Amino acid sequence: MADRVSDLFQEFEELKQARKPFEDVWHEIAELVVPNHSGFQQPPNPAERGRRRGEEIYDGTPQAALNMWASGTMGHLLSPNFDWFTLTVPDEQLMDVREIRLWLSRVDRVLYGMITRSNFYREVYELFRDGAGIGTATMHRYWDQGTQREQFMVLHPREIYVGEDANGDVDTVFRYTQMTNKQIVERFSQDDDTVDAQVVKDATGPTMRHRKRNIVHAVRPNPDHDPTKADKRAKKYISVYIDEEHHSELRRGGFDVLPYMVWRVLKESDEEYGRGPAWEALGDIRALYEYSRTDIEEAQMRVNRPLQVPEELRGKVAWVPGGRNYYEDANRLIMEADVKSDLRAGLDREERKQKIIERAFLVDFFTMFAQADKAMTATEIRQRREEKSVLLGPHNTSLNSDVLDMLIDGLFNDAWNAGLLPPPPRLLVESLAGRRLEVSYQGPLVQAQRSFFQGEPYRQALGQWAGLAQVLTGAGKPADFLDNYDMDFVTREMFKSGGGVEEAMLDPKLVAQLRQQRAEMLQRQQQLAAMEQMGKAAPGLNQPVAEDSMLEQLQTAQQAQQAGAPPG
């Protein structure tokens, strides 16, 4: 075990060195934009706890913009007020099977229930704040056996060190944190052979319960992964908790899904850590604070100007409201210095920088409805919203791949292990053949983006067709150009691009049956109308058919022919 722990610490040191180039910028962003984040020193300096921060901040625009980005992005993607994901299957034909759709719907309800009962929505806001500021945000997910519910925790960026696989995805996470002896006992005392008993015993002393220890949690790919085994040590990822002081394992286990969701908002291909809006705006934030600091000094100079005081009055000037200053020579007065300044120009510079910073955090997008012209129509507002939603596309994509996909996989795995899910239909199991279910995200922002890229071409085409059809109709010509298009397909795609669900649309076969019935009914109505007109034109036709007449014999023969019997 000692060699195993030593190898992990060696890997940990390599990850530390790989993160060092980012830490200076993280520290600067924390000081200038996210002052509530403590320093990035490891282990943490106890003097940092509770320290007042933000001494370098001279303008509140960056903090307000960051909070707007975090709350706006969360509100458009992960609000608890709407369903923001649904499970689907890779094969679209399987979605035509009602049994499979019902099972997927039940699974959705179970997963939403797990999220609602957890602390997810309380924690995820901090994830968005870290993403907007530091650019790398990490959420830890685990199943609490005691409470039988999911638990989430957004971790300080200081604690996380990551490594990537060949595809650039995070597959290795080392977390360097602190736990009290009491927390160690509560977390690990229920384990059997995976805990170093001596470490737990040392942590039970009555005077040491709140003493903190440095703990390393290493999660990395398992070279001995075997999906056919239920043993934790055969799972996809190895999990090892290590007490740094004793170099001893507290717990060794494994996970099917990586428990750390690491969001890199925008990431360069040759870097392991992300960059957020604060990275892009950092130069403008520094300039804004410098402008604000000098403008504050200039404003103070204009209000409390320097004085020119005769030498004999040194230390005798009462420059306060109601002060008395006595002098003999009327030519030797106390005078304000003539300060040349242009405060308005400084304030204009500040305003320009404020707007640049707000654009970096997409403030205009999130406040679009408040700033919209009251004369704008609902269609114009929708179009503007869809166009601006494209700006969040890159952030949305990285959030899906780094966080949400892993979140849904983890929830599904925990729900399955806890026996919360209904058994899947046999057809689905056979068709998937080991493939994972797919996730379709349904939040307002996703719907706006989908509507822009998928629905807008159809809306534009319909507008052009309507204009052309009106011109042709006015000229007495048929609008037969519409025969080139499958209007059923167009309207279905428009409905789905607007967020409509498949279950709300009728099966095309049923639609064909309804149309056939409608056509037959229309034909019968036309026949009845024609007969009525004939009866009015020839009154004798309305009389009953005479018995044994030639007309009666013809009707009898026709009815027998329709019934398939020979005429009598």
Side-chain angles (χ1 to χ4, degrees), residues 1 4-5 179 181-204 213 215 232-233 239-243 246-253:
M1 183 178 71
R4 193 165 59 202
V5 172
M179 297 177 66
N181 289 333
K182 176 177 178 292
Q183 292 170 333
I184 291 174
V185 172
E186 292 175 351
R187 176 70 65 86
F188 305 118
S189 61
Q190 297 179 357
D191 290 355
D192 40 26
D193 60 339
T194 59
V195 183
D196 187 312
Q198 185 62 42
V199 174
V200 177
K201 181 179 179 181
D202 292 343
T204 58
R213 295 175 182 263
I215 304 297
K232 284 187 176 182
R233 303 187 186 188
S239 169
V240 184
Y241 282 89
I242 305 171
D243 178 9
H246 296 88
H247 271 228
S248 301
E249 288 187 6
L250 294 170
R251 171 190 289 169
R252 183 175 181 82

Side-chain angles (χ1 to χ4, degrees), residues 255-466:
F255 298 100
D256 292 315
V257 180
L258 194 67
Y260 293 104
M261 297 167 283
V262 184
W263 182 24
R264 285 87 54 83
V265 178
L266 296 173
K267 190 185 84 68
E268 300 293 336
S269 60
D270 59 345
E271 297 178 347
E272 297 83 7
Y273 298 90
R275 300 165 182 255
W279 283 69
E280 308 298 329
L282 191 56
D284 294 301
I285 292 172
R286 290 197 208 98
L288 174 63
Y289 289 167
E290 186 64 24
Y291 292 160
S292 298
R293 185 182 63 80
T294 55
D295 288 343
I296 289 173
E297 293 176 353
E298 185 171 347
Q300 291 175 333
M301 289 281 286
R302 294 167 67 94
V303 174
N304 190 12
R305 296 176 180 270
L307 301 178
Q308 296 179 355
V309 182
E311 178 63 29
E312 63 269 19
L313 294 180
R314 179 189 294 271
K316 300 179 181 179
V317 176
W319 197 257
V320 294
R324 302 292 190 272
N325 295 284
Y326 302 96
Y327 56 90
E328 295 180 357
D329 188 347
N331 295 321
R332 295 179 63 77
L333 300 177
I334 302 170
M335 301 177 61
E336 291 183 344
D338 186 13
V339 179
K340 303 293 185 182
S341 65
D342 187 358
L343 182 58
R344 183 65 261 170
L347 296 178
D348 290 341
R349 288 195 304 266
E350 286 187 44
E351 186 175 351
R352 286 196 296 271
K353 287 299 180 184
Q354 289 170 345
K355 291 181 178 179
I356 293 173
I357 294 168
E358 288 179 343
R359 283 199 295 269
F361 287 94
L362 305 181
V363 171
D364 60 338
F365 168 74
F366 296 117
T367 59
M368 179 177 55
F369 293 109
Q371 298 174 356
D373 186 351
K374 293 183 179 179
M376 291 177 62
T377 65
T379 301
E380 291 172 334
I381 294 176
R382 175 185 55 76
Q383 291 175 340
R384 179 178 295 185
R385 177 172 175 266
E386 292 174 358
E387 293 171 358
K388 288 184 175 293
S389 69
V390 178
L391 300 176
L392 272 177
H395 306 158
N396 187 22
T397 301
S398 63
L399 180 70
N400 292 348
S401 59
D402 290 348
V403 178
L404 300 184
D405 288 350
M406 199 174 299
L407 167 69
I408 303 303
D409 286 348
L411 289 173
F412 185 93
N413 185 73
D414 289 343
W416 182 265
N417 293 333
L420 301 178
L421 298 180
R426 177 179 298 180
L427 176 61
L428 178 62
V429 175
E430 295 173 351
S431 301
L432 287 178
R435 294 178 297 168
R436 67 185 293 273
L437 296 172
E438 294 183 349
V439 185
S440 176
Y441 297 103
Q442 306 292 328
L445 180 62
V446 178
Q447 291 184 16
Q449 293 172 343
R450 187 179 295 134
S451 178
F452 180 78
F453 287 109
Q454 298 180 7
E456 187 61 23
Y458 294 119
R459 284 194 292 268
Q460 291 182 359
L462 286 176
Q464 295 169 356
W465 295 343

